[in-house]
Amino acid sequence: TQLLEQSPQFLSIQEGENLTVYCNSSSVFSSLQWYRQEPGEGPVLLVTVVTGGEVKKLKRLTFQFGDARKDSSLHITAAQPGDTGLYLCAGAELTGGGNKLTFGTGTQLKVEL
Amino acid sequence: GAGVSQSPSNKVTEKGKDVELRCDPISGHTALYWYRQSLGQGLEFLIYFQGNSAPDKSGLPSDRFSAERTGGSVSTLTIQRTQQEDSAVYLCASSLGGAGGAFFGQGTRLTVV
């Protein structure tokens, strides 16, 4: 089983600050996805990155896929309380005609006023 | 329905009893995943179904756990002789099987007392 380590595990910041979450593995993935999960809900997909070196922006969120397709980062600019939640990366491994998703260890983000 | 549906939403069972958790994926999705999540933690992979391929059962923690997917649609996760360490939220997800993301249900919170 491929392992995905996220750091930091916990992050508590003030509104307006910037932050970066990292997702690292020793394995290569066909694509990497980021999800956000709120209490009592299932994770919700934020973005998929496919090409090594790819950068995607979603409003104040910037996602990057490492050149070797083993790691990724999520950067949030000017964090807001609504960004609070559990952030999960997931690596996709081509198998059986589809994509097996392995999830990272998670980063719990709390943004305070 | 429009999304992934899981039932029951909550289940309390006595140690040693068997439980069945149900997942109705999004119609047309060929891939179906089961994960387990402890409070505030990442998702632990359990099993992955992709079309007519043999399921990837590599994440099932013991032979007390089994899962079926009938007719390429509904899936049931069965836990026999439940133990207290089985207490967790069990999440089901489905996807089209390509590079796109997975859509999650709201989960079944299992408590073994």
Side-chain angles (χ1 to χ4, degrees):
Chain A
T1 301
Q2 299 173 320
L3 296 177
L4 282 161
E5 294 288 336
Q6 286 184 235
S7 61
Q9 186 177 359
F10 299 99
L11 194 53
S12 181
I13 61 173
Q14 299 295 310
E15 182 180 18
E17 293 184 14
N18 302 331
L19 67 115
T20 302
V21 177
Y22 298 93
C23 174
N24 295 293
S25 174
S26 57
S27 302
V28 176
F29 294 103
S30 60
S31 67
L32 198 136
Q33 301 168 2
W34 284 92
Y35 292 76
R36 187 174 84 191
Q37 184 180 24
E38 299 189 18
E41 303 289 331
V44 175
L45 179 70
L46 296 174
V47 77
T48 299
V49 284
V50 178
T51 306
E54 181 176 3
V55 176
K56 278 192 175 179
K57 291 191 175 183
L58 183 65
K59 297 183 180 179
R60 295 176 293 100
L61 278 61
T62 301
F63 305 86
Q64 184 162 8
F65 201 9
D67 290 342
R69 304 201 341 261
K70 294 181 179 181
D71 54 80
S72 180
S73 64
L74 158 60
H75 183 79
I76 301 179
T77 304
Q80 299 177 358
D83 296 327
T84 293
L86 179 67
Y87 288 80
L88 297 157
C89 63
E93 173 191 3
L94 283 172
T95 179
N99 276 298
K100 175 182 175 181
L101 294 177
T102 301
F103 279 79
T105 48
T107 296
Q108 185 68 56
L109 171 65
K110 183 175 182 180
V111 183
E112 299 182 282
L113 292 169
Chain B
V4 177
S5 178
Q6 290 187 246
S7 60
S9 54
N10 281 286
K11 176 71 176 180
V12 180
T13 189
E14 292 182 350
K15 178 181 173 181
K17 295 286 180 66
D18 298 352
V19 295
E20 284 190 353
L21 312 180
R22 178 186 169 102
C23 173
D24 280 279
I26 293 173
S27 178
H29 279 193
T30 57
L32 187 146
Y33 311 81
W34 283 98
Y35 295 90
R36 181 167 70 174
Q37 186 177 34
S38 299
L39 187 62
Q41 301 298 308
L43 274 61
E44 176 188 2
F45 169 77
L46 296 177
I47 189 167
Y48 162 57
F49 296 90
Q50 172 57 48
N52 296 320
S53 300
D56 181 335
K57 304 180 181 181
S58 60
L60 295 178
S62 77
D63 58 8
R64 296 186 296 105
F65 288 73
S66 63
E68 293 184 332
R69 188 178 186 192
T70 55
S73 182
V74 172
S75 178
T76 302
L77 177 68
T78 301
I79 308 173
Q80 296 179 310
R81 305 180 303 280
T82 52
Q83 303 294 313
Q84 287 185 328
E85 60 263 29
D86 299 334
S87 296
V89 175
Y90 289 80
L91 288 161
C92 174
S94 69
S95 78
L96 289 170
F103 294 81
F104 281 82
Q106 291 195 308
T108 293
R109 180 175 297 279
L110 175 66
T111 304
V112 182
V113 297

